[in-house]
Amino acid sequence: MINAAFPYEKKRIQVFGLEMAYVDEGSGDPIVFLHGNPTSSYLWRNIIPYAQKFGRCIAPDLIGMGDSAKLPDSGPDSYSFFEHRKYLDELLDKLGIHKNIIFVVQDWGSVLGFDWARRHPDAVDGIVYTEALFPGSWSEMSEQGRKIFQALQSSEGEKMILEQNSFLNVNLPVNILRELTEEEVEQYHRPFIEPGESRRPMLSWARQLPFDSDSAVAEIMTDNGKWLAQSPVPKLFLHTEQGRTTQSQLDFCRSWPEQTEVTVPGIHYPMEDAPDEVGKALAEWLKNLA
């Protein structure tokens, strides 16, 4: 069942002088849910109930997103992957999340989660991922997708996102099979109502996607993939029927050891299209992992 209401009261904590918001429900070993662009912990509202009996469910709002504070003096260099990693690392440390961790990740949350796991391999008990990000090629994208992201990575990006809010008005809806309700739209738009720098996180994420690039972020994504391809950590791959993962990326993911694959309906956000299927697959995997 798809519920629009957010059933959790977020907690707050100071991280490098800024307030970060997060969901913290249940007890036991940590299950950390990491969202991507342009979402927040709201994305996991219908998934967390399936995981609660298996551990302590923590779902942060990344800095500048959801109900977490915006960075001061935001500009073109703000909200880099490395800045997000810095704040996430400190948040997890402050929450005492150091071992026996299961990550549940999507989109840019996958890059952050994979990276954390690669840097702390003995602290991770499992990884659940869907619509993960890896270095790609412009030639593998659809013509429409290529035109959009090339524009976002050009000087047009400021107008498209900071002024027109195109990532929420266009990119989010076309990556979900169903039409979001008014309440759901309001929840996703609320952190980015004010035009301008408050929307910078969405643009920065879009500009860091590495297509035919040897950037520092591309190098991290490549290192993540190499580690996952040989790591014995148990994995659950939630493959979306109409997802944005390219065939070469799909073939690569399917080569990883100790992995279970479950196909679920959806495009890029199966948590919105098929929360029951996602939740049941997660719960079954967690039960077998115990």
Side-chain angles (χ1 to χ4, degrees):
M1 180 178 178
I2 301 174
N3 290 316
F6 190 72
Y8 307 110
E9 183 175 348
K10 293 181 185 178
K11 294 181 169 67
R12 267 58 173 190
I13 193 169
Q14 291 289 313
V15 178
F16 297 121
L18 297 177
E19 189 175 82
M20 288 191 72
Y22 61 100
V23 172
D24 193 342
E25 297 287 331
S27 61
D29 290 334
I31 305 172
V32 178
F33 295 79
L34 297 180
H35 70 85
N37 190 24
T39 59
S40 67
S41 58
Y42 180 74
L43 183 70
W44 304 108
R45 68 193 181 281
N46 291 311
I47 310 302
I48 290 173
Y50 285 95
Q52 269 184 254
K53 66 179 180 180
F54 297 100
R56 176 189 175 194
C57 296
I58 299 112
D61 289 343
L62 298 178
I63 195 69
M65 307 184 79
D67 289 309
S68 288
K70 307 289 182 181
L71 293 172
D73 304 317
S74 173
D77 296 326
S78 299
Y79 300 104
S80 69
F81 168 84
F82 300 98
E83 205 157 23
H84 278 287
R85 178 169 74 177
K86 169 186 167 183
Y87 277 89
L88 179 63
D89 279 0
E90 184 71 5
L91 173 67
L92 296 182
D93 186 56
K94 281 180 171 285
L95 295 180
I97 300 171
H98 300 126
K99 61 181 181 179
N100 304 124
I101 304 168
I102 292 170
F103 280 104
V104 184
V105 298
Q106 182 263 351
D107 191 78
W108 278 102
S110 70
V111 189
L112 289 164
F114 293 164
D115 173 72
W116 198 100
R118 177 174 55 84
R119 292 182 290 121
H120 309 84
D122 295 333
V124 179
D125 286 352
I127 297 174
V128 180
Y129 68 98
T130 186
E131 288 297 286
L133 301 183
F134 298 97
S137 171
W138 289 116
S139 64
E140 292 184 289
M141 292 189 75
S142 67
E143 182 179 356
Q144 181 184 17
R146 184 166 60 252
K147 289 174 68 173
I148 289 172
F149 278 95
Q150 285 179 337
L152 289 173
Q153 294 189 358
S154 76
S155 58
E156 295 180 55
E158 271 78 8
K159 181 177 182 180
M160 293 172 68
I161 290 185
L162 303 190
E163 296 179 26
Q164 299 172 343
N165 210 9
S166 68
F167 222 96
L168 280 167
N169 290 331
V170 179
N171 290 54
L172 184 67
V174 301
N175 281 290
I176 298 175
L177 290 172
R178 67 184 181 89
E179 185 174 348
L180 295 176
T181 67
E182 287 186 15
E183 182 176 356
E184 290 167 331
V185 170
E186 182 180 355
Q187 285 279 2
Y188 282 124
H189 279 250
R190 181 171 51 80
F192 305 109
I193 290 294
E194 190 70 26
E197 286 301 316
S198 77
R199 297 172 180 169
R200 178 67 66 176
M202 296 184 287
L203 179 57
S204 293
W205 278 134
R207 285 180 165 169
Q208 291 176 91
L209 285 168
F211 298 107
D212 301 316
S213 164
D214 58 357
S215 67
V217 174
E219 184 177 348
I220 285 173
M221 288 182 174
T222 298
D223 289 344
N224 288 346
K226 289 178 180 177
W227 178 76
L228 288 159
Q230 57 79 40
S231 171
V233 66
K235 307 167 190 72
L236 172 61
F237 173 31
L238 295 170
H239 170 235
T240 55
E241 291 176 342
Q242 300 178 50
R244 300 306 188 192
T245 308
T246 66
Q247 188 59 51
S248 62
Q249 292 169 342
L250 189 60
D251 292 342
F252 176 55
C253 292
R254 285 175 167 157
S255 73
W256 298 351
E258 301 301 319
Q259 180 163 269
T260 301
E261 179 177 336
V262 177
T263 298
V264 294
I267 305 177
H268 192 57
Y269 303 95
M271 299 74 71
E272 288 295 0
D273 284 318
D276 290 333
E277 288 90 337
V278 171
K280 288 173 183 176
L282 173 60
E284 183 67 19
W285 184 80
L286 290 170
K287 183 179 73 173
N288 292 333
L289 196 64

